[in-house]
Amino acid sequence: MLVTKQQALDYHSGPTPGKTEITPTKPCRTQRDLSMAYTPGVAQPCLEIEKTPHDAFKYTGRGNLVAVVSNGTAVLGLGDIGALAGKPVMEGKSVLFKRFADVNVFDIEVDTHDPDEVIKVCQLLEPTFGGINLEDIKAPDCFYIEEKLRQTMKIPVFHDDQHGTAIITGAALLNALELVGKDIDKVRIVFNGAGAAGIATAEHYVRLGVKKENIIFCDTKGVVYKGRKEGMNPYKDRFAVDTKLRTLAEAMVGADIFVGLSVKDAVTQDMVRSMAHDPIVFALANPDPEITYEDAKACRSDIVMATGRSDYPNQINNVLGFPFLFRGALDVHATAINEEMKLAATRALAALAKEPVPDSVCRIYGVERLKFGREYLIPTPFDPRVLVWESSAVAEAAMRTGVAQEPVDLATYRDQLERRLGKAHEVSRTMIHKAQANPKQVVFPEGENEKILRACHALVEEKIAKPILLGNTAKIKAHAEQLSVSLAGMAIVDPANSDHREAYILELFRLRQRRGVTLDEAHKLINDRNVFGSMMVHMGDADALVSGVTQHFPDTIRPALQIIRMREGFHRVSGCYVLITKKGEVFFLADTSVNIEPTAEELVEIALCTAHMAHRFEIVPRVAMLSFSTFGNVDHPICTKVRKAVELLKYADPTLIVDGEIAADDALSPEVIEQQYPFSALKGGANVLIFPDLASANIAIKLLGKIGGNESIGPILMGMSRPVHVLQRTATVEEIVGVAAIAVVDAQENDTYAHPHVHVAVEPEVVGED
């Protein structure tokens, strides 16, 4: 994806400078908390660690903390820009550690060109960290630094620039050779680029089974041959060969494999044509490969190719390696990352690529299916299964080779990895990926609003929706220009001079003439942009409506209820929130928005709609009908109502996992249910919570968000005949994007429903959200 300079600078500068922060894991709200977090309570773990140093893993965060250390001498493609200028890269590395493997990181920028000083800094910091990730240090200094640290430190030390590429391309190599039917000990490989990554990758390939004598290195001076003096060092000397070949073009004749870690356009089509049958080409120069995917495919139809780019098949991305390698090493308190652990990571990635790919992963990449083959050699970076497969393989190798200080049961460990990130990392994107499969037209009545404009830009850029902005055209364009937001891909409709205005007025009058609206009043009502937007959806000129950042909830929903109406067979609309806890647990809460005191029958509708919403998020619903009593221990009309709703629900959908009435704490406690209520259907606890009234639901979701610090998506309006979603006035740009994605998915599903212009339904009293 193309990123402009200003977009990149805006991303890094606001709203908070940088990309990382520290979040406490213990409370510090009371005097007692303070005395525990610091003096005098903190003295006790200090004394325990003094007696038993390994207890630092028990009483501190050291076991999940990695240092990303750099002196900025080889930063990406920028070269020696210095330690300070390289800090954004190191923060970025920290984000990837946390996002993909839940590893905490401090980035350490060391202002020195002396490798011994880098070594000394790392050695002095050993008590602080569980591991050291060396980053962007020039060759050959990086070899010397890593070797020295591995000899002198008792925690994992790993230079990602060397070994990350080796691990990921190693997996691609194993699978590519399997596909073309060649033996690893017989293939001839040409490397172009003899820096840190090239040398380490070649050594890794040898450990995988490649014969060292079958490897030829080239660099800016040509072939690395025995006796060459210019541009040599001890690390290149290891791979110097006795040959008369002197150029890259000569070396590639008859080669089975090319690995490029060099520069753009280093390889020509003629060079690729000269390779053996079924050539394997890893062109990994960034941002532009040694030969483009198109050029390589054009000259060899039998080629198997990988690059470092996300817009071509088989992206070699180091994020498939370092987060999960450290995750496995940290979790067994490994004293090193040894070669067996790297090999285990490679083989785990190669094996995972042969497994069926989940639909959720395919949707991320906008394809119907990913299957092991020439264009899918290795897993994709956003495949959540990598965490379990690779980290557990690394941990197993660490235990097998004796560097694990805290061995684990692998089956239990895999379960822990599944729970570490939970569903939270998928939930917020699930609807977006579904929306991207078939973007729909979403009308935004508040088209002049800054947050709406920014959100719509994201919707277009990510191909989630086709926004329609309602408002004054000149104002919208002026605001967009001020915000540097492109309006490309968006439609602007000014209700004051729309070609459809008169038709909408006549249809509005037809819909509302028996509800006290005259033709003159219809002419006035159409000026309300929520009314106009609702008419667009009703008439089929838009697929969904999203509004509410500048208005009260009733003012937004009322026109939709009057014009678009409820879905056939429904008597009430209702509101749902998706709650994502810090532990990654996902809950659905309803009705948070509309119905003040729903009847038992209305609770059934709310529960069925919310269970369906859980299915949309690819979560199996377990529905708890909440009350202040559990299974009849209190006799009260509210409890009776909820009990009646449970019986009706079981009749309405016998396949639904549902129980009640039940108190919220019991519903969320699998242990309590198992021990005290073994007869309950809610084995494992509930994830869909249906409240007996609006007050309890609305209060609960707001408390959980404000006090609990949980994330939420919503409100999601359920039961409308066409998609309408109401935003909170405090909604962020990201939340607007999320709600719009849900609206698109609603519209996709709605394609299978009829949308009658006339619908007999009781208009509900409009209350709730603000």
Side-chain angles (χ1 to χ4, degrees):
M1 181 181 292
L2 180 65
V3 177
T4 68
K5 175 182 177 180
Q6 193 57 50
Q7 285 175 328
L9 293 177
D10 288 347
Y11 174 84
H12 285 81
S13 63
T16 302
K19 300 188 287 288
T20 61
E21 66 179 8
I22 296 173
T23 301
T25 60
K26 300 293 189 297
C28 190
R29 301 187 184 92
T30 67
Q31 184 62 36
R32 182 178 183 277
D33 291 342
L34 182 59
S35 65
M36 296 287 281
Y38 201 53
T39 184
V42 75
Q44 299 308 315
C46 291
L47 294 172
E48 293 299 311
I49 294 168
E50 183 186 25
K51 287 190 294 185
T52 310
H54 193 71
D55 278 356
F57 291 105
K58 180 178 180 180
Y59 296 115
T60 76
R62 186 190 184 205
N64 194 42
L65 186 60
V66 167
V68 172
V69 179
S70 177
N71 64 357
T73 52
V75 179
L76 296 176
L78 305 175
D80 186 353
I81 62 174
L84 182 59
K87 185 173 177 64
V89 176
M90 307 314 134
E91 283 192 352
K93 197 82 171 187
S94 305
V95 170
L96 299 182
F97 264 109
K98 188 65 178 177
R99 161 62 180 82
F100 287 95
D102 197 26
V103 173
N104 297 324
V105 172
F106 287 155
D107 57 290
I108 309 292
E109 291 75 34
V110 185
D111 191 12
T112 181
H113 282 65
D114 184 343
D116 288 311
E117 290 185 341
V118 176
I119 290 168
K120 188 64 175 178
V121 167
C122 292
Q123 290 171 333
L124 291 172
L125 288 172
E126 181 170 354
T128 303
F129 296 100
I132 301 284
N133 183 95
L134 300 171
E135 192 74 20
D136 291 349
I137 300 172
K138 69 178 182 179
D141 291 355
C142 58
F143 298 114
Y144 169 66
I145 291 170
E146 187 188 42
E147 288 174 0
K148 200 70 172 178
L149 291 177
R150 291 181 64 180
Q151 293 167 6
T152 58
M153 297 182 74
K154 296 298 183 183
I155 58 174
V157 177
F158 181 80
H159 184 212
D160 183 49
D161 300 309
Q162 292 184 60
H163 310 297
T165 303
I167 289 167
I168 315 308
T169 62
L173 175 71
L174 293 177
N175 284 343
L177 288 173
E178 179 179 327
L179 287 166
V180 301
K182 295 184 179 182
D183 296 329
I184 195 168
D185 60 344
K186 296 177 182 177
V187 292
R188 190 164 72 81
I189 303 178
V190 175
F191 279 83
N192 194 45
I199 297 294
T201 299
E203 290 176 338
H204 191 65
Y205 285 9
V206 170
R207 285 188 284 271
L208 286 170
V210 174
K211 293 291 182 64
K212 189 175 182 180
E213 59 266 28
N214 290 343
I215 296 174
I216 292 181
F217 261 96
C218 297
D219 59 13
T220 56
K221 309 301 180 184
V223 172
V224 176
Y225 59 89
K226 285 185 177 179
R228 199 184 96 174
K229 303 299 182 183
E230 189 178 9
M232 294 295 287
N233 60 49
Y235 305 98
K236 290 183 185 180
D237 282 339
R238 297 177 190 171
F239 286 93
V241 292
D242 188 3
T243 179
K244 294 181 180 180
L245 302 175
R246 292 296 180 265
T247 68
L248 176 61
E250 292 172 357
M252 286 184 67
V253 175
D256 297 287
I257 300 162
F258 169 79
V259 180
L261 293 155
S262 52
V263 294
K264 173 184 177 182
D265 297 335
V267 172
T268 67
Q269 287 185 317
D270 284 341
M271 292 180 189
V272 176
R273 289 190 188 99
S274 73
M275 295 178 71
H277 71 89
D278 293 301
I280 298 167
V281 173
F282 297 160
L284 307 179
N286 261 324
D288 299 302
E290 284 81 359
I291 183 170
T292 67
Y293 180 80
E294 293 85 359
D295 285 351
K297 294 289 284 187
C299 68
R300 290 294 295 262
S301 60
D302 59 343
I303 196 170
V304 179
M305 187 170 183
T307 71
R309 293 177 60 120
S310 61
D311 50 351
Y312 296 139
N314 299 320
Q315 183 191 17
I316 303 297
N317 192 321
N318 282 19
V319 80
L320 279 170
F322 66 85
F324 314 108
L325 191 71
F326 270 98
R327 178 76 277 150
L330 291 171
D331 288 340
V332 295
H333 299 173
T335 57
I337 292 176
N338 58 31
E339 304 309 327
E340 288 80 2
M341 294 160 74
K342 298 171 195 172
L343 290 170
T346 287
R347 293 184 176 120
L349 288 170
L352 178 56
K354 300 171 189 175
E355 294 292 310
V357 181
D359 289 344
S360 58
V361 176
C362 295
R363 281 195 295 270
I364 292 174
Y365 292 90
V367 296
E368 289 188 8
R369 192 179 182 195
L370 287 170
K371 184 181 180 181
F372 177 62
R374 289 176 179 247
E375 296 196 345
Y376 180 69
L377 295 174
I378 54 175
T380 59
F382 284 97
D383 189 333
R385 301 173 301 166
V386 177
L387 173 67
V388 179
W389 281 64
E390 186 174 347
S391 299
S392 61
V394 169
E396 189 277 332
M399 292 187 290
R400 176 166 37 85
T401 56
V403 297
Q405 298 180 88
E406 292 286 339
V408 296
D409 174 75
L410 281 175
T412 302
Y413 179 53
R414 289 189 185 99
D415 289 339
Q416 292 170 349
L417 290 170
E418 292 276 9
R419 293 195 298 269
R420 180 173 284 277
L421 291 179
K423 287 283 184 180
H425 69 291
E426 298 178 38
V427 167
S428 60
R429 299 292 297 181
T430 297
M431 284 296 181
I432 288 176
H433 301 321
K434 288 186 175 183
Q436 288 170 329
N438 184 16
K440 297 291 184 179
Q441 291 183 309
V442 180
V443 60
F444 293 86
E446 299 153 309
E448 298 169 9
N449 180 268
E450 175 184 334
K451 287 193 290 187
I452 295 295
L453 284 168
R454 290 167 55 205
C456 287
H457 176 69
L459 291 170
V460 171
E461 194 170 58
E462 292 199 49
K463 297 181 176 62
I464 297 167
K466 303 171 183 177
I468 302 172
L469 304 173
L470 295 189
N472 181 280
T473 302
K475 287 184 179 179
I476 290 174
K477 289 183 177 179
H479 289 167
E481 187 175 352
Q482 290 172 0
L483 296 168
S484 299
V485 168
S486 170
L487 294 174
M490 305 180 210
I492 300 175
V493 175
D494 189 341
N497 53 33
S498 167
D499 293 339
H500 298 294
R501 181 180 175 87
E502 290 304 317
Y504 289 175
I505 290 170
L506 292 175
E507 177 64 8
L508 177 61
F509 174 59
R510 187 188 72 78
L511 288 171
R512 304 297 297 167
Q513 61 189 349
R514 294 185 181 275
R515 294 300 180 95
V517 175
T518 66
L519 185 58
D520 285 343
E521 288 171 328
H523 275 84
K524 296 175 182 177
L525 286 171
I526 204 68
N527 294 320
D528 182 328
R529 291 175 187 169
N530 282 316
V531 172
F532 192 95
S534 296
M535 288 302 304
M536 290 187 72
V537 174
H538 172 72
M539 298 291 282
D541 296 322
D543 299 304
L545 181 146
V546 173
S547 184
V549 290
T550 63
Q551 302 165 80
H552 293 289
F553 183 88
D555 296 331
T556 305
I557 194 177
R558 188 178 290 110
L561 290 169
Q562 293 172 343
I563 296 167
I564 299 173
R565 310 290 182 90
M566 285 172 281
R567 181 165 289 172
E568 187 173 359
F570 282 72
H571 302 89
R572 290 279 178 175
V573 296
S574 55
C576 164
Y577 271 88
V578 184
L579 186 79
I580 306 165
T581 71
K582 290 182 177 180
K583 295 180 180 179
E585 299 165 309
V586 182
F587 298 96
F588 299 81
L589 285 66
D591 172 19
T592 58
S593 310
V594 181
N595 301 285
I596 297 178
E597 293 184 350
T599 64
E601 292 76 12
E602 289 164 349
L603 285 175
V604 171
E605 275 193 16
I606 293 167
L608 290 173
C609 285
T610 312
H612 178 64
M613 184 59 63
H615 277 300
R616 284 184 181 175
F617 279 89
E618 301 179 358
I619 291 173
V620 177
R622 299 187 301 274
V623 183
M625 305 298 286
L626 300 181
S627 181
F628 55 84
S629 64
T630 296
F631 299 129
N633 64 8
V634 176
D635 187 15
H636 187 277
I638 291 178
C639 309
T640 303
K641 175 181 74 171
V642 176
R643 282 197 292 271
K644 179 182 177 182
V646 172
E647 295 306 313
L648 292 172
L649 260 174
K650 291 178 178 178
Y651 177 79
D653 185 357
T655 67
L656 187 65
I657 301 172
V658 60
D659 217 336
E661 91 285 15
I662 185 169
D665 55 343
D666 290 340
L668 299 176
S669 303
E671 311 82 21
V672 171
I673 290 173
E674 183 178 344
Q675 294 169 13
Q676 299 185 26
Y677 310 109
F679 55 84
S680 174
L682 295 176
K683 300 295 188 291
N687 54 20
V688 174
L689 308 176
I690 307 300
F691 291 78
D693 54 42
L694 178 64
S696 56
N698 192 269
I699 291 168
I701 188 63
K702 290 180 177 177
L703 285 176
L704 286 166
K706 291 294 183 182
I707 297 177
N710 301 299
E711 297 180 33
S712 63
I713 303 171
I716 304 169
L717 207 58
M718 306 180 296
M720 296 293 292
S721 64
R722 301 291 294 269
V724 175
H725 288 291
V726 182
L727 300 166
Q728 297 183 84
R729 288 186 292 170
T730 57
T732 64
V733 170
E734 291 74 21
E735 288 167 342
I736 296 169
V737 169
V739 170
I742 292 170
V744 170
V745 175
D746 281 349
Q748 292 170 352
E749 292 189 5
N750 243 41
D751 286 343
T752 62
Y753 290 91
H755 309 301
H757 285 180
V758 178
H759 196 294
V760 179
V762 178
E763 292 178 16
E765 181 181 359
V766 177
V767 293
E769 289 290 331
D770 189 10

